[in-house]
Amino acid sequence: MGFLKKWAGTIGIFIIFIGFLALLMLKDYPYAWIPLIAIGCLFLLLYLYFNREELSSSVRRRAFLYGSSAFFTIIFSLLILVFLNILLNSRYTWVDLTEEKIFSLSPKTRKVLKEIGNGKDKVTIYGFFKEGSPDWVNAKELLEKYSYETKNFEYRLIDPEKSPGLAQQHDVRSFGTIVAIYRKNKTTEATEEGITNAIVKITRGSKKTVCFVTGHGEKSISDFGENGYSRAKTAIESQGMEVKEITLFEKGEELENECSTLIVAGPKKKLLPEEISALRKYLAEKNGSLMLMLDPLTESGLEVLAEEFGIKVDTNGLVIDPLSRLFGGHFTMPVITKYESHEITKDFNYASILPIASALSKVKLPEGIEVSAIASSIPNSLFEKVIDKQELKFDDVKEIGGPITLMMVAEKKKKEEENVPSEEEKKPEKRMRLVVVGDSDFPSNSFFEFSGNGDLFLNSLNWLSQEEDIVAIGPKKREARELNMSANAGKILFYITSIFVPVLIFIAGISVWISRKNL
């Protein structure tokens, strides 16, 4: 009995401490802490029972009152910390206090996750990384944010070296691979943009096909040179779409069945009337989706087609922009820094550059067609029509203008009955969509990675394909901020933080010590 009287309290506190460690660390045994805490409390009760007389006399002492007050304050604070730790471990949460929200998922990602949250099937992500590596930690942090947004999302991080069977099952051959599974479909990406697009691709229906027209000197998706579109092709395929080249003569009557979206990228030769007629029928009668990228100083015959849908393309000159010199380019390369409000440019705030551009404008609109400007050059830009020198200098420019429209879209208006929600969910009827850009070089291999060029191209393509949920999420960056203050303000701040506040804390501490000493 003497042993329990002397050591029961210490043993009880030690066992309770072990119980709290088991609660925090033994995730695979969630209830192991309960018997430990119970045994520890039993030892504490035994200690109080065997020492009841000594404790009864000690309660009346002043030192005990102050000591017990401090003891229970410490215990209460520890209990609060333990409770908060349990709460945060049971539900992942965070607060992003940065103005740019660089630690949060983008609004487009949250929209996609909200939609899958309304369904019954779960999306499962397997991430294959080296355990404990920085990539492992970053992937876990990112995927936790996804699982926080919806209950229909779950993930598991796997080390391929420790689980080679799973890696072989999912055909994973390198670290850093993320496999998204939904109804036995999968894709691989390892960024927020990649994961979000993977979710959209595997949860949507049939795969869509993007067709590039050839036969008139257009940019080629098989060209890996500076002027080629091989990077654009790779980017389109990474979003789950098929890409191929066609000729209008062969597929003129089958465009609707062959292509969900059609692209004509910088033709050098004039299209035949039969080919233009096939495109006109594809748009007007079949409600097709078409992107025209028409370079200046080149007549393709597509200018007439674009004008029939309310967009005039002036290829008889060049857009001149002095701002492009700041980016190291020629003044014939207009820079886009501001975009009009549209689904293509929603949450898009990256500069784009068009290496050489025609001017666009709105003309008389046909009935039932809406036309919108998407991007324009800066107000200081000009449009030069007189091009009679081999080397154009900025001093030679005589025309005035600006801002000059560089990108426009046309879309068939919604019918009034389409705005009325039906009792049953129905897939919205496909509507004609047209994107016209005064340049075909901006998504080429040389310029695809420049700031927002690639994202602008992909956003336009996704809008044409009526796949607005496929997103282009650019990297989030902190903006540099400076605190400017006068010399006097700097001195005042120094005196307050380095002298006044420390001295005030020191005086307060001495006062408390003296007052307690006199008790």
Side-chain angles (χ1 to χ4, degrees):
M1 291 299 177
F3 176 81
L4 289 177
K5 182 176 181 181
K6 183 177 181 180
W7 296 103
T10 304
I11 294 173
I13 293 175
F14 178 74
I15 295 177
I16 290 175
F17 176 73
I18 296 298
F20 280 121
L21 289 181
L23 172 64
L24 299 176
M25 300 178 65
L26 298 180
K27 302 295 185 182
D28 295 332
Y29 303 94
Y31 302 107
W33 61 276
I34 297 178
L36 292 172
I37 297 293
I39 294 172
C41 291
L42 178 61
F43 272 93
L44 286 179
L45 291 174
L46 290 174
Y47 176 80
L48 294 175
Y49 176 77
F50 289 123
N51 295 274
R52 59 187 182 277
E53 295 180 359
E54 291 83 350
L55 292 173
S56 177
S57 60
S58 298
V59 168
R60 301 183 181 90
R61 299 175 187 173
R62 179 186 299 178
F64 176 82
L65 293 175
Y66 287 113
S68 61
S69 176
F71 173 77
F72 284 112
T73 300
I74 294 173
I75 294 298
F76 183 69
S77 300
L78 290 175
L79 289 175
I80 292 177
L81 292 177
V82 170
F83 174 76
L84 289 176
N85 193 26
I86 295 172
L87 182 63
L88 294 177
N89 274 279
S90 63
R91 180 61 174 171
Y92 181 82
T93 186
W94 78 97
V95 178
D96 190 351
L97 300 179
T98 60
E99 183 177 352
E100 299 86 358
K101 300 300 178 184
I102 61 174
F103 300 113
S104 301
L105 296 177
S106 68
K108 292 182 178 180
T109 295
R110 292 198 296 270
K111 177 184 175 183
V112 172
L113 294 177
K114 182 179 180 181
E115 290 178 356
I116 68 170
N118 296 329
K120 296 181 180 179
D121 297 318
K122 280 191 174 183
V123 172
T124 303
I125 295 288
Y126 292 104
F128 293 87
F129 299 90
K130 180 70 175 179
E131 186 173 0
S133 66
D135 290 337
W136 174 289
V137 176
N138 294 335
K140 180 177 177 61
E141 180 181 342
L142 177 60
L143 293 171
E144 281 286 355
K145 296 175 183 177
Y146 277 78
S147 61
Y148 176 82
E149 294 291 336
T150 175
K151 295 180 179 179
N152 284 351
F153 179 91
E154 56 186 18
Y155 75 93
R156 179 183 174 190
L157 296 182
I158 302 168
D159 190 333
E161 294 180 346
K162 295 182 178 180
S163 303
L166 283 174
Q168 184 177 5
Q169 177 183 347
H170 296 289
D171 194 24
V172 174
R173 302 180 181 180
S174 62
F175 290 109
T177 300
I178 286 184
V179 179
I181 300 176
Y182 178 86
R183 295 176 182 172
K184 299 182 179 181
N185 291 320
K186 66 178 182 179
T187 186
T188 55
E189 286 293 336
T191 60
E192 181 187 347
E193 179 178 350
I195 294 173
T196 301
N197 288 333
I199 293 172
V200 174
K201 286 183 289 185
I202 63 179
T203 54
R204 72 185 182 188
S206 59
K207 182 178 289 188
K208 297 193 174 182
T209 304
V210 178
C211 298
F212 285 79
V213 173
T214 61
H216 316 90
E218 293 91 348
K219 302 292 192 300
S220 174
I221 57 176
S222 58
D223 184 358
F224 291 86
E226 294 182 353
N227 297 324
Y229 269 32
S230 59
R231 288 189 179 182
K233 176 188 177 184
T234 302
I236 297 171
E237 290 176 336
S238 70
Q239 296 189 346
M241 300 182 185
E242 293 183 357
V243 185
K244 65 179 181 180
E245 292 182 337
I246 64 166
T247 58
L248 292 176
F249 262 126
E250 294 179 357
K251 305 294 183 181
E253 298 296 329
E254 303 175 2
L255 289 178
E256 180 186 12
N257 299 327
E258 291 283 335
C259 311
S260 58
T261 301
L262 198 61
I263 297 178
V264 184
K268 303 300 181 185
K269 299 294 183 179
K270 196 170 183 179
L271 276 71
L272 297 175
E274 293 82 2
E275 295 175 308
I276 297 176
S277 177
L279 293 176
R280 182 183 295 109
K281 182 178 180 180
Y282 173 71
L283 282 176
E285 299 181 16
K286 304 298 183 180
N287 289 321
S289 297
L290 174 65
M291 178 183 289
L292 299 178
M293 292 182 278
L294 307 180
D295 295 321
L297 309 181
T298 303
E299 186 178 357
S300 63
L302 295 172
E303 299 83 5
V304 177
L305 177 65
E307 192 166 351
E308 291 177 6
F309 292 91
I311 301 174
K312 181 180 180 181
V313 185
D314 192 341
T315 60
N316 297 318
L318 297 174
V319 178
I320 308 299
D321 184 359
L323 181 62
S324 58
R325 290 184 173 181
L326 298 178
F327 293 88
H330 196 263
F331 59 81
T332 56
M333 304 169 68
V335 177
I336 303 172
T337 57
K338 186 178 180 181
Y339 304 87
E340 303 298 328
S341 177
H342 192 267
E343 292 177 355
I344 294 177
T345 55
K346 186 178 181 181
D347 301 321
F348 187 82
N349 54 3
Y350 302 100
S352 303
I353 187 169
L354 275 60
I356 183 171
S358 305
L360 309 182
S361 59
K362 186 185 297 187
V363 294
K364 184 179 180 181
L365 300 181
E367 185 178 355
I369 301 295
E370 293 178 328
V371 174
S372 305
I374 297 297
S376 303
S377 59
I378 63 172
N380 291 341
S381 60
L382 311 167
F383 185 66
E384 171 63 27
K385 286 190 175 183
V386 182
I387 308 295
D388 57 358
K389 296 184 179 181
Q390 294 182 354
E391 182 179 355
L392 182 66
K393 297 181 180 180
F394 188 73
D395 295 337
D396 297 331
V397 177
K398 304 298 183 182
E399 301 290 335
I400 59 174
I404 298 166
T405 304
L406 303 173
M407 180 176 179
M408 299 184 74
V409 298
E411 182 179 17
K412 180 178 288 187
K413 294 181 180 179
K414 287 184 178 181
K415 298 179 181 179
E416 293 183 1
E417 55 267 22
E418 289 181 356
N419 296 327
V420 181
S422 58
E423 296 180 359
E424 299 180 358
E425 291 186 5
K426 295 182 180 180
K427 186 176 179 180
E429 181 182 353
K430 183 179 179 181
R431 292 180 290 137
M432 183 279 296
R433 288 182 173 181
L434 171 67
V435 173
V436 180
V437 189
D439 171 58
S440 66
D441 294 306
F442 79 97
S444 64
N445 295 338
S446 297
F447 296 95
F448 191 86
E449 300 295 336
F450 177 85
S451 191
N453 277 27
D455 291 341
L456 181 62
F457 172 76
L458 293 176
N459 283 2
S460 302
L461 179 61
N462 293 326
W463 179 78
L464 284 171
S465 302
Q466 300 192 30
E467 294 285 356
E468 292 89 344
D469 287 336
I470 297 288
V471 298
I473 303 172
K476 298 176 181 178
K477 301 178 181 179
R478 288 183 179 271
E479 294 184 5
R481 288 182 172 82
E482 297 180 354
L483 176 62
N484 298 317
M485 59 175 60
S486 63
N488 291 334
K491 289 180 180 180
I492 294 173
L493 182 62
F494 171 77
Y495 290 140
I496 292 176
T497 58
S498 302
I499 299 177
F500 178 75
V501 172
V503 169
L504 183 63
I505 294 174
F506 178 76
I507 293 174
I510 294 296
S511 301
V512 172
W513 179 74
I514 292 174
S515 62
R516 290 198 171 188
K517 186 178 180 181
N518 295 330
L519 290 176

